[in-house]
Structures are given as C-alpha cells and as structure tokens.
C-alpha cells in the first residue's frame, strides 16, 4: 500500500516540479479562449441537414429508410421482415408499437426485452432494435447514451444486425451541437451537471481496413446497421418554412 | 515473420541504431511496396475529409491550446480525474515507471484469478512490454485488434500506430491464419480472413474475465475515459469482462467533456481518413448492470513528466496518436516502422522515444528525418516535430561530446579542429590551400569529386561533391582589384570606391551594415558592365 501511495506522490511531484505550479490552478480562466474559431453551429436547412445525415450514413454502408410518425410501426415491420431475421432483442424502454405490428406480420417473430438478459441469451439474438439520443449529420453518426430506450451497451454489440430509430428532430448538423445538446440536457436535471456516463458514437457498421487497406464491413460489432429516420414535427415544420422561402438559422431556431 | 528479413526489436534499449535497423527493410521491396500502398490509401482518404472541413486550421489551433492547458496544469487535472473517476466507482492507480505499471496490473489480474486476458490495442502495454511479462507470470494475453491478431499469431511486431500490420499483405495473413487457427483451406480474400478472426475471437470475448485497454482521452471534469476504434473489439473488451483495466499515459487527460468535440473531429480524419471512426466509446467508472463491475485506471508516467520540463519538448505530449506524421514522412515511407526500434515509429516516435528513454537510448532517432516539415504540416495538434528534432540533435551532441568514446570520433575531432582553424585567418587560409592541393588528387576532369577515402566516403557514397575552385574568393577579389583592366569605366570608379572598404569588411567578422551594402552593390556592377 505504501508503495502505491509513494508512486502517486512521486508522479505528482515530478509533474509539479516540471510545470512549475504547485497549487491546483483551475477553473475560471482555464476554459476561456481555448477552443475557438471552428464551426459550432451548422448552416444547412432542416431538410438539407437530414439529407446529409442520410447521405453520410449510406456512405459508410448503413441502410437508411425514411417514414412518417404514423408509418413507423409498419416501416419497422417491413425492415425487420426484409432482414430475413426472426429473433430480436430490444431495450425495455422502447414503445411497444415498434414491434407489435412486426410480431403480428412476421411468422416466427420473437422480440425479447432486455430485463437483465444473460450474455449468452443476447448472443442468440439475430438483431437488435433501439432508439438513440441524437444523430449527427456531418459525420453520419448515431449517438447512444444507453438510456432505457437505447439499451445496455452489450445489446447493440453482440447481435449482428442493428436497427436504430432516429427521429428527425434528434438530428443535429455538427459534433459541437451534439455536445451542446448533452450539456443542455444535463443542466435541465436537478443536479447541476450530469453529463452522460456512457456514450457510444456509432458511424456505420463495424469495419476494418487492416488487411491491405481494404475496407471490410463487420469485424466484431454488428455487420449491418439500419436506420429509420422518422419525419416528426421538426421536419414537417422545416418543409413548410422551406416552401415559404425561409432558410438557415430561423429554421433551426424553430426546430429547437 | 516472412515479411521481414530479421525479427524486429521494438525495445529502445536493445534496438539497433536507426540506420542499421533500416537496412533490411530497404532491401525488402515487397515490404516497401506494402507500406507505400497503405500510406497512399490513407493519405488520399485523409486529404478528402480534411479538405471538406473549412475550419480545419481553427480546430488544430484549438486542439493544441486545449492540450497545452491540460499539460500546463497536469497535476491538477489528474487529481480531478482521479477524484471523479473514483466517485463513479473506478479505481485509480499511479505508476511511476514501467515496472510499477506491470506490477500493479499483475496484482489486479491475480486478484481477479485471471489466467487469460484480452487486450484492445494499447500502445502503452507495448511500451512497458506487458505481454511477455504476463506470459512469464502464467497469464496469456490475447490481442483482439485484427492487425494485432495477425502480428501476435505471426509473431511479428507492429510497424504503424493505427494500422500496425500494414507491412503484411493478404497472402501473408492467409498463411498465418491458416497455420495458427488450423484452417488449411482458408482463402486470401480480406472478407474471409476477417470472418476467420471474428469467429476465432468471439469465444474469447465471451469467456475471458479481464480486459486491458489503452485510452485515447481521459476527461478530468467527469472522470470518463474514451476509446476510438473501428472493429468493435474495443466495445467487446470494455463491455463483456468482469474486470477492466485501462493503462494510459498521464498526458491523455483533457480538461472538459466538450474538449472532445475538437479532438474527435481531428482524430479520425487524421488517423484513418474517416469523419468519425465506426465506434467511439466513453464510460465513467462503473455502471451497475452494464459492463465490467470492476474498473481500474493505471496512470503511467514512465518518463513523461521529464518531457514536461522543457517548454519546446512539452509539445510532444500533445500527441493523440493519429499516425498522420508517419503517413506523410518520406523517411517512414522508405523504412517502415520497425527501424525505429520502438512501439512509437515515424516522426512522433523519433521525438517521443528518445525523450521517454531520457536520451540513454535511441539517440540515432532524432537524425531519422530529412526535416522536410510534412509531419508538422499534417499534425492535428500542431506539434512542431522538426523543431524538436533539431533540439534533440543538439542534446544528443552535447551529451556525446563529453564522452571518452566519442573523443576520437572523426566528426568531433574535425569539429574541434575547425574551431581552432576558423578562429585564426592565417590558419584558415593555410587550410584552404592545403585542401585545394589535397583534393585535387580526387577531383575528376568534370570538376566533381565522386569518391573520397575514409570519413569523407560517408558523404560521397550517396552524393558527389563539387571540387574546390582554383581560387578562393579572397584571392579572386584581390587579383581583380590589382588588375582593373577587365572592368568598364563606370565599374572601375565603383570598384575604386567600394573595394577598400569591402576587403576590410570581409577580413573582419561583424563588419557594419553600411559596408555590407556597398559590397552588395559592387558585386552586382560587373554583371551590369557585361551587358
């Protein structure tokens, strides 16, 4: 134990001797002016933002379909049926409407909700259905905070096929907008700062280019990533405004 | 491995000097072809996604400021990280050196009762030579990154920090997998090879009780750890085992959660030419019901605090290990990574390794560069690598000069001699005369020296040397003044005025700017006269 404490003291002493600051000096001025000059806010119209999201997802081999909020259950059912898979797993927090229609339409369909499933049970599943916290258009990324609707990390990892439902209003254009959104959400809670404890940014299916730089889909994570983009309120609003000739910033203000 | 003539040694204490270690690679054309192909592919992808970022330079500037802030207050940020990570259920350990870190990790694995462990690409464990150490203690470590599996099964060594097996081609991978996994009829399609690796490792992921990972970033504000990867082996390692150990250099800490918005935009683009890597994971301590329930972070110093001391060298620790510097290095392109004798190859290795070794080893690395500056140009955190290389060269020279072994080294003898000669004009003139007489013997009719004996051969082996002119500048000038017949009238006037001052100024170092100007004038005039 004493050896451990010694190493800690030794390392900290060496660092302080080298940086020339003995007292913890942090806070106020630490953040100011460090990160600046780069693009934080996107400038695309709502529609263009969604188009870019779809385009960038497809560029990295994800399958994307769009649907209206009312059409979501049947779209999910169609995508699940087309996958040729039958055994699915899903986080406990997803709306029942997401899988009821599929259960009705697809013969042999099975969707197990993850109330603390064993790893071996999850391993048996052929696919997984989740929601997400956010989509990032600029890089074609979906972000999971692993809430009740997004599931434990393991369920989006072991099954070979992942279907993620993204509402259009969840899509931001830039990565900094995602961080802003996380911080805002945190500030909304009772505790002053509660940033996400778990985050997984997913950009396309698992991939490698380790053999002769040939991009191969699917090494250990899911080999297939499917995204359903639900045109919810924001997008409808966006479309109307576009028709009226309004663009850019106002669009986004409207959206958030 | 068949890819290299000799088995490379990635331990700076045992590795051969760079020029010696580079030789087998330079003779291996297959290896050089593999390396060039790989870095060309990444380079083209990188260029495309970097060009679409109109704010790239602002991101680079922000990233270097963030890292400088973190390094300038490193102790405080590490303590903050320790406090927050501990509060979230993690346990933080401090390792002053490699032996410390190995001991801590072994104790943790013994406490877990693990005789197997899975690794997600961790350069730090390569740095502290962890795998052989664990093996000796009866714990088998399985690499899980596709490239690392290739290297582990083929008993090879990594040669790049992002694509460690870029020097191995598909045929070689097929042979390694067919032998080690017992699949004799495996074909050499990358898809088939990747699928073989997937099924080979799946069972390990599901059964091995402990994992060791590296980390790309630590967040002081929240105590979180972030890993950027492509294959999902990282997610497996940090989700499935009971115990997770993250071994990470102390320089990896960032002040705030939002700092990731800068780093993540730069890292994947610079490393693999993607906008984001397929998987970026962030976790904070232990989450009940999700992932390992025991989580340890081992903060590794191992020479890093020493690098903090000099402000110029401190930049080295900004590195986010993207590998862009090696992909753009003309030296790395020819030699590949093994010649650098460390897990950190390329330009960043050339400055990092000697410093981590406190210049006790790897003194040849600061010279493994043409100083072209491409590495600085592409570095996402703006590490001025050429500047540090030059500084390290000075340090190596200072260190060597004092040693008995180097006292009779021809270079140092020569430099000491030059010191004496250059301080005395008469000696300098005598040396010039001697040189002219001596070198005449080696100068061919075309005016060039093609081969020199002894030390001089080091130069003429790779390039020709211009023979010394018949006259020195001093002689030519004096002769010209004594016989002005070749000048036009105007030039003669100028020469009369300019010459006395000029010859004086040339003879005296540090002569005034005024006479320098006049010298410049008078040097231009003859050309005008010739028109």
């Amino acid at each position: 134990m004493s050896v451990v404490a010694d190493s800690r003291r030794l390392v900290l002493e060496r660092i302080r001797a080298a940086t020339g600051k003995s007292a913890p000096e942090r806070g106020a001025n630490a953040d100011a002016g460090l990160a600046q000059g780069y693009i934080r806010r996107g400038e695309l119209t709502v529609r263009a933002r969604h188009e870019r999201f779809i385009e960038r997802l497809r560029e990295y081999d994800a399958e994307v379909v769009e649907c209206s909020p009312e059409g979501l259950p049947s779209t999910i059912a169609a995508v699940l049926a087309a996958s040729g898979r039958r055994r699915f797993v899903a986080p406990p927090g997803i709306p029942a409407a997401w899988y009821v229609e599929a259960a009705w339409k697809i013969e042999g369909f099975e969707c197990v909700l993850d109330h603390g499933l064993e790893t071996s049970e999850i391993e048996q599943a052929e696919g997984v259905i989740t929601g997400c916290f956010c989509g990032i258009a600029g890089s074609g990324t979906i972000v999971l905070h692993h809430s009740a609707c997004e599931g434990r990390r393991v369920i989006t990892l072991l099954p070979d096929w992942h279907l993620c439902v993204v509402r259009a209003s969840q899509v931001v254009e830039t990565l900094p907008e995602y961080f802003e959104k996380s911080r805002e959400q945190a500030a909304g809670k009772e505790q002053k700062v509660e940033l996400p404890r778990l985050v997984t940014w997913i950009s396309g299916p698992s991939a490698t280019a380790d053999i002769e730089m040939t991009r191969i889909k699917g090494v250990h994570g899911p080999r297939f990533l499917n995204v359903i983009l639900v045109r919810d309120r924001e997008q409808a609003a966006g479309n109307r405004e576009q028709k009226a000739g309004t663009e850019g910033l106002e669009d986004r203000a409207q959206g958030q | 491995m068949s890819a290299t003539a000799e088995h490379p040694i990635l331990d700076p204490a045992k590795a051969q000097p760079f020029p010696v270690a580079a030789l087998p690679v330079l003779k291996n054309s297959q290896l050089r072809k593999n390396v060039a192909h790989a870095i060309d592919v990444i380079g083209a992808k990188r260029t495309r996604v970097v060009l679409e970022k109109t704010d790239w330079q602002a991101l680079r500037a922000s990233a270097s400021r963030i890292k400088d802030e973190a390094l300038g207050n490193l102790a405080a940020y590490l303590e903050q990280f320790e406090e927050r990570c501990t509060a979230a259920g993690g346990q933080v350990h401090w390792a002053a050196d490699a032996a410390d870190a190995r001991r801590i990790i072994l104790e943790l694995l013994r406490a877990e009762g693990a005789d197997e462990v899975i690794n997600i690409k961790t350069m730090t464990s390569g740095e502290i030579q962890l795998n052989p150490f664990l093996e000796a203690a009866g714990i088998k470590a399985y690499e899980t990154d596709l490239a690392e599996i290739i290297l582990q099964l083929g008993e090879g060594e990594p040669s790049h920090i992002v694509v460690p097996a870029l020097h191995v081609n598909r045929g070689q991978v097929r042979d390694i997998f067919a032998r080690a996994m017992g699949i004799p009829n495996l074909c050499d399609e990358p898809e088939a090879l990747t699928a073989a690796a997937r099924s080979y490792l799946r069972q390990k992921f599901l059964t091995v009780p402990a994992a060791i990972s590296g980390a790309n970033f630590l967040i002081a504000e929240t105590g979180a750890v972030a890993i950027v990867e492509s294959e999902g082996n990282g997610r497996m390692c940090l989700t499935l085992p009971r115990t997770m150990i993250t071994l990470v250099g102390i320089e990896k800490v960032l002040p705030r959660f939002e700092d990731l918005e800068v780093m993540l935009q730069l890292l994947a683009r610079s490393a693999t030419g993607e906008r984001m890597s397929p998987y970026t994971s962030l976790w904070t301590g232990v989450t009940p019901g999700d992932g390992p329930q025991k989580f340890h972070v081992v903060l590794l110093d191992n020479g890093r605090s020493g690098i903090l001391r000099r402000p110029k060298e401190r930049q080295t620790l900004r590195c986010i290990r993207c590998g862009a510097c090696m992909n753009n290095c003309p030296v790395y392109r020819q030699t590949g990574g093994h010649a650098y004798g460390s897990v950190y190859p390329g330009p960043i290795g050339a400055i990092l390794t000697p410093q981590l070794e406190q210049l006790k080893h790897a003194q040849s690395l600061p010279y493994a560069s043409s100083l072209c500056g491409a590495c600085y140009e592409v570095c996402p955190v703006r590490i001025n690598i050429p500047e540090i290389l030059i500084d390290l060269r000075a340090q190596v020279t200072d260190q060597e000069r004092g040693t008995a072994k180097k006292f009779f080294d021809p270079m140092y003898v020569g430099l000491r001699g030059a010191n004496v000669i250059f301080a005395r004009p008469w000696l300098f003139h005598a040396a010039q005369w001697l040189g002219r007489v001596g070198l005449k013997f080696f100068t061919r009719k075309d005016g060039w020296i093609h081969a020199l004996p002894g030390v001089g051969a080091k130069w003429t082996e790779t390039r020709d040397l211009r023979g010394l002119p018949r006259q020195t500048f001093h002689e030519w000038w004096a002769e010209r003044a004594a016989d002005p017949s070749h000048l036009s009238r105007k030039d003669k006037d100028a020469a009369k005025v300019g010459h006395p001052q000029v010859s004086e100024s040339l003879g005296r170092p540090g002569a005034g700017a005024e006479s320098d100007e006049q010298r410049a004038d008078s040097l231009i005039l003859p050309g005008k006269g010739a028109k």
Side-chain angles (χ1 to χ4, degrees), chain B residues 171-191:
Chain B
Q172 294 163 328
V173 176
R174 192 216 82 89
D175 295 344
I176 292 167
F177 280 9
R179 180 168 39 77
M181 296 177 187
I183 324 171
N185 55 354
L186 187 66
C187 77
D188 70 355
E189 281 306 310
E191 283 89 354

Side-chain angles (χ1 to χ4, degrees), chain A residues 179-236:
Chain A
F179 280 89
E180 202 178 318
K181 193 172 162 160
S182 297
R183 182 72 77 172
E184 271 168 19
Q185 200 211 25
K189 292 201 177 159
E190 277 186 22
Q191 263 186 311
K192 205 177 159 201
V193 170
E194 174 120 1
L195 289 164
R197 287 173 67 97
L198 297 174
V199 187
T200 307
W201 289 265
I202 299 175
S203 311
S206 151
T208 185
D210 274 344
I211 301 172
E212 294 187 5
M213 304 314 294
T214 312
R215 190 179 159 100
I216 306 294
K217 226 165 86 167
V219 191
H220 303 297
R223 272 185 280 198
F224 304 92
L225 176 65
N226 292 264
V227 173
I228 297 178
L229 185 64
V230 187
R231 291 188 299 262
D232 61 358
R233 262 177 316 163
E234 177 180 3
Q235 187 163 11

